[in-house]
Amino acid sequence: IREEGSPPSFDFNPKSHDELATDLQLIDFERATKVTGSRFATFTGLGAKLERALANFMLDVHTKSHNYKEVSPPVIVNSSAMKGTGQLPKFGDDSYKVSDDYWLSPTAEVQLTNLHFDEIIPEEHLPLKYCAFTQCFRKEAGSYGKDMKGIIRLHQFNKVELVQLVPPESSNDCLLSLLSHAEKILQLLELPYRVVQLCSGDMGFSSSKTYDLEVWFPSQNQYREISSCSNFLDFQARRSKIRYRDSNHSVDYLHTLNGSGLAVGRTFAAILENYQTKSGIIQLPNSLIDYLGIQEIGHEK
């Protein structure tokens, strides 16, 4: 649809985020493998602090500027919740099953949408807007190539999720609003990105309309997805029995929307790559300086 910001111009070959993170001792991939296995990461030192700062920054923007209510939900969800948002039965093979009825959440979309499972909400309470920072778990079966390195596709990752429950007549406008909220994070971090509208063949089966935000990765010379914002119309509401009562006392299904605001690991990776210098130091975005108390990340002495 459009591109925002210009990719940085380097007079050197930019390193990948995993190279930079290893050089600067921000992520320890080897020890994460010892503790768990491949496709996991341990953020250490300033890396752990940067990850936490990003989550706090995103939550502050969404709660203070966009009026979302922050929620800290469980990361274990039941089968009804997974079915309600469309993860089951279709994507069961890509999710981690804990027991007969419990799963590790693949996205906080599951928890936030199902907060109102089997409820009738008065129309005057709509829209409901929730955000959450949670750990997410996916098997990521079938990913390959460069995605096997670094933190683009981990089995466990952190994400700030946005969910809206809205009246049907306003859901298309609300999708554009939600998209702008996710974009605001990229704009404040001054990361170059583009907005892509997905064709029906690329959308999840439960979505009616989806926009992806893709951030620039210099080492790959391409844009990579960092957020997906969707309008599900009444698909999830029907599965989860989430309804609303209008001013005429009629009861009908509302519409649900969600999007990442943003994927924290991919934002972390994009900052390392776009803000790297020839000496290997990372100059931090101005919007993060107050959160970290430093202006750059350099080599530990």
Side-chain angles (χ1 to χ4, degrees), residues 4 18 62 67 71 89 97 104 108 124 132 134 147 156 173 177 196 207 218 246 267-268 277 282 285-286 289 297:
E4 302 289 346
D18 51 293
H62 295 314
N67 298 314
V71 177
K97 193 171 187 178
L104 292 178
E124 59 267 25
T134 65
D147 283 358
Q156 175 184 323
D173 289 338
S177 176
V196 177
S207 174
D246 64 21
T267 308
F268 183 108
T277 64
I282 310 300
N286 290 330
I289 291 174
I297 296 176

Side-chain angles (χ1 to χ4, degrees), residues 244-264:
Y244 76 104
R245 181 178 284 109
D246 64 21
S247 56
N248 297 319
H249 302 289
S250 297
V251 175
D252 201 356
Y253 292 100
L254 44 70
H255 285 185
T256 65
L257 309 95
N258 70 56
S260 301
L262 303 164
V264 175

Side-chain angles (χ1 to χ4, degrees), residues 7 38 124-125 130 137 165 203 223 244 277 283 288-289 297:
S38 62
E124 59 267 25
H125 292 175
Y130 297 115
F137 303 86
L165 309 180
M203 290 193 303
Y223 291 94
Y244 76 104
T277 64
Q283 299 285 350
L288 288 181
I289 291 174
I297 296 176

Side-chain angles (χ1 to χ4, degrees), residues 61-121:
V61 171
H62 295 314
T63 56
K64 295 176 182 178
S65 299
H66 304 145
N67 298 314
Y68 285 83
K69 183 177 184 178
E70 183 177 349
V71 177
S72 181
V75 295
I76 294 178
V77 295
N78 60 38
S79 296
S80 294
M82 289 279 281
K83 183 179 179 181
T85 46
Q87 277 71 31
L88 290 180
K90 186 172 183 179
F91 302 110
D93 289 343
D94 199 37
S95 300
Y96 285 99
K97 193 171 187 178
V98 178
S99 66
D100 287 345
D101 193 47
Y102 290 141
W103 304 75
L104 292 178
S105 170
T107 167
E109 162 196 345
V110 178
Q111 298 97 303
L112 296 181
T113 304
N114 283 284
L115 289 175
H116 294 280
F117 180 87
D118 198 17
E119 288 185 22
I120 298 175
I121 303 167

Side-chain angles (χ1 to χ4, degrees), residues 120-138:
I120 298 175
I121 303 167
E123 186 176 27
E124 59 267 25
H125 292 175
L126 299 178
L128 293 171
K129 298 164 62 177
Y130 297 115
C131 67
F133 168 65
T134 65
Q135 294 177 328
C136 307
F137 303 86
R138 295 178 191 171

